[in-house]
Amino acid sequence: MSSNTTSNPVSREEPRSGALAGRAAGIALLVVLFASFMDLLDATIVTVAAPAIAAELHASQAQVQWMLAGYVIALGSGLIIGGRIGDDYGRGRMFLASLAVFAVASAACALATGPSMLIGTRVLQGLAGGLMVPQVFGIIRSSFHPAELAKAFGAYGAVQGLAAVAGPLMGGFLVDADLLGLGWRTIFWVNVPIAAVALVLGSRVLPESMRRHRTAPDVAGAALLTSSVVLVLLPLVQGHDWGWPWWGFALLATGVLALCGFLAYERTVTRRGGQPVLDPALLRVRSFGAGLAASLFFFGAIGAFFLTLSIYLQTGTGRTAWETGLVILPYAIGSILTSGLGVAMAARAGRALLVTGSLALAASQALLWFAVRDGQSPGYWMLAAALFVGGLGLGLAAPILVNVILAGIPGKDAGAAGGVLSTVTQIGGAAGVAALGTLFFTTLDDHAAPLQGFGDAFAAVLPVGIVLYVLAAALMLLLPRTAAAPSA
């Protein structure tokens, strides 16, 4: 369920000189897998806890959206430069430093006294996760001999599936269990001991690897891109609370102009021989441009879905957080069942799998719309069946999307293109939370009957998701037929 499933598998590696063996390699793998599990878990666990967080902290609708969007924007910002920093200054060192910051930020989230503090600490948490994730692939490659890499990456894929299942279930259990009277705060406290163990073990066994020749990261370009995205999302999230003033639309227009300025600046960096965040020449590759747009629509549809679903199920139908996790469970199971099939068939039918997966997700949302239309309160099995179909579609498309898109990119540009693509998926998720979340809350506020309004608000979001998935499927027809094999 997490957009992190599209993290870039392509890395610019120097020859391995310090590959580990035996117990040391196993412990190194466990360290990065625990950290990856924690990061992936945080992408889904908060959505189930969102209603409880909003109730205790008296958070506004916009603040609830920022708790998710702020994390995702910061995660994308970290991904922009995280890989290059690790390449230049040491992947193991960068991984451990980011993991430590992630643990501190998690504790700060758990101690939040108000929504503004929680949003700020979520941003820090997302930034640390964004800097940490790119190091995982490099560490795995430098820790294992080529013959063992397939098993190591297979274990990473299994952890992704486990996190997808554990997120909603663990979130629901921890909120309802109210351990030590901490309620939702335990979803953040649970990260601290995991990170502490990983830090102790990692400091002893993780190998250090870096690129021989350093290049200055495009910090100005990354800052300009992040600022542009925030300027676009800010009026979308806050517009309803502000009353849609004219200056909100002016901010939106400023953000669009800033994005154009970002592209112009990147052209300047390229002409000067620098390493831009986004090489504008990549956009001239038709399949890559189509892939970026498809990713934006695909993950934009997913971005707000679980937030609005969780609020609808808990506040609209009266389900507990644990019951909400059980409703979402079939989605995770479906994605696990098809993800292995998608990866196995990507080299023969990657594009067809992407289109099929996107259309299956559209069908899932159509089934959900049918179930909740006219204020109906569907039973468990009707919801579970619709979500299971969506999970099957996600498993076919999400794990292979990056490699199919990168199949049309020259090998020398694959690392840069993969980083840009991973960042766009995060931006898509944040944009979805902003736009579809605002539609949900606006529909809810305009409804005369509050409880029925939750069903109508959720029903209003679903057709937009269907359109986004269909648009993504149409753009995927422009992608290469098969996936690129990840380089070892």
Side-chain angles (χ1 to χ4, degrees):
M1 290 179 290
S2 166
S3 54
N4 288 345
T5 55
T6 60
S7 294
N8 175 28
V10 180
S11 178
R12 301 172 302 280
E13 285 290 326
E14 68 278 350
R16 295 178 193 83
S17 58
L20 302 177
R23 183 180 178 186
I27 295 175
L29 180 62
L30 284 176
V31 168
V32 296
L33 291 186
F34 271 122
S36 299
F37 176 83
M38 187 172 58
D39 175 68
L40 293 168
L41 192 71
D42 254 57
T44 56
I45 198 171
V46 174
T47 57
V48 175
I53 295 173
E56 181 177 328
L57 297 184
H58 306 290
S60 69
Q61 296 164 352
Q63 287 171 327
V64 171
Q65 290 172 267
W66 279 119
M67 289 174 196
L68 298 176
Y71 177 87
V72 173
I73 293 171
L75 181 68
S77 301
L79 288 172
I80 292 173
I81 59 174
R84 187 161 294 153
I85 293 175
D87 287 347
D88 290 344
Y89 296 96
R91 301 178 185 98
R93 187 181 299 114
M94 191 64 196
F95 175 86
L96 293 174
S98 302
L99 179 59
V101 174
F102 189 92
V104 171
S106 296
C109 288
L111 295 170
T113 57
S116 296
M117 180 179 175
L118 181 55
I119 291 168
T121 51
R122 282 282 287 168
V123 168
L124 179 61
Q125 192 185 40
L127 181 60
L131 294 173
M132 179 174 63
V133 167
Q135 317 312 324
V136 171
F137 289 101
I139 289 174
I140 290 177
R141 284 187 169 90
S142 61
S143 299
F144 289 86
H145 295 285
E148 300 170 332
L149 277 178
K151 292 182 180 178
F153 282 118
Y156 178 80
V159 165
Q160 287 185 316
L162 180 60
V165 174
L169 290 179
M170 185 177 291
F173 170 76
L174 291 175
V175 171
D176 281 358
D178 194 23
L179 300 174
L180 302 177
L182 294 173
W184 58 266
R185 298 176 189 274
T186 52
I187 71 173
F188 297 113
W189 280 125
V190 73
N191 291 336
V192 177
I194 295 175
V197 172
L199 281 168
V200 172
L201 294 177
S203 63
R204 297 183 178 183
V205 301
L206 287 183
E208 192 54 274
S209 63
M210 65 182 70
R211 190 163 45 189
R212 293 191 180 98
H213 303 290
R214 294 183 180 180
T215 57
D218 183 13
V219 176
L224 184 56
L225 176 59
T226 302
S227 301
S228 303
V229 171
V230 171
L231 284 171
V232 170
L233 297 184
L234 184 61
L236 291 178
V237 174
Q238 297 289 154
H240 181 258
D241 286 358
W242 289 342
W244 302 108
W246 66 267
W247 47 267
F249 293 99
L251 278 178
L252 181 62
T254 302
V256 173
L257 290 174
L259 284 172
C260 295
F262 162 74
L263 292 175
Y265 176 78
E266 295 301 272
R267 291 190 184 95
T268 301
V269 173
T270 303
R271 284 197 301 269
R272 293 175 178 173
Q275 295 290 331
V277 168
L278 170 61
D279 186 349
L282 292 173
L283 298 179
R284 292 196 289 270
V285 180
R286 187 184 71 163
S287 62
F288 186 66
L292 290 181
S295 297
L296 197 67
F297 291 141
F298 185 86
F299 290 100
I302 293 174
F305 174 70
F306 287 102
L307 172 64
T308 55
L309 175 64
S310 180
I311 294 173
Y312 162 67
L313 290 175
Q314 293 183 55
T315 311
T317 71
R319 287 176 169 85
T320 65
W322 170 247
E323 290 170 335
T324 296
L326 290 176
V327 170
I328 297 174
L329 179 60
Y331 191 98
I333 293 174
S335 68
I336 292 173
L337 290 177
T338 53
S339 60
L341 174 66
V343 172
M345 295 182 61
R348 299 193 302 273
R351 183 172 66 189
L353 292 172
L354 292 180
V355 173
T356 302
S358 293
L359 294 179
L361 282 159
S364 169
Q365 301 229 327
L367 291 172
L368 283 172
W369 178 85
F370 181 81
V372 304
R373 75 194 192 287
D374 300 327
Q376 296 184 49
S377 182
Y380 175 84
W381 290 110
M382 182 175 289
L383 291 169
L387 288 168
F388 181 71
V389 172
L392 293 175
L394 185 74
L396 286 176
I400 65 171
L401 181 58
V402 166
N403 283 336
V404 174
I405 294 173
L406 292 184
I409 297 294
K412 65 182 179 63
D413 297 322
V420 170
L421 186 55
S422 295
T423 301
V424 167
T425 64
Q426 303 301 327
I427 292 174
V433 170
L436 297 185
T438 296
L439 173 62
F440 177 89
F441 289 121
T442 300
T443 305
L444 181 62
D445 287 350
D446 291 343
H447 207 284
L451 287 181
Q452 183 179 340
F454 284 98
D456 290 344
F458 186 53
V461 168
L462 294 172
V464 181
I466 293 171
V467 171
L468 291 175
Y469 284 126
V470 171
L471 287 173
L475 288 165
M476 288 169 179
L477 292 172
L478 301 176
L479 300 181
R481 290 180 180 273
T482 59
S487 63

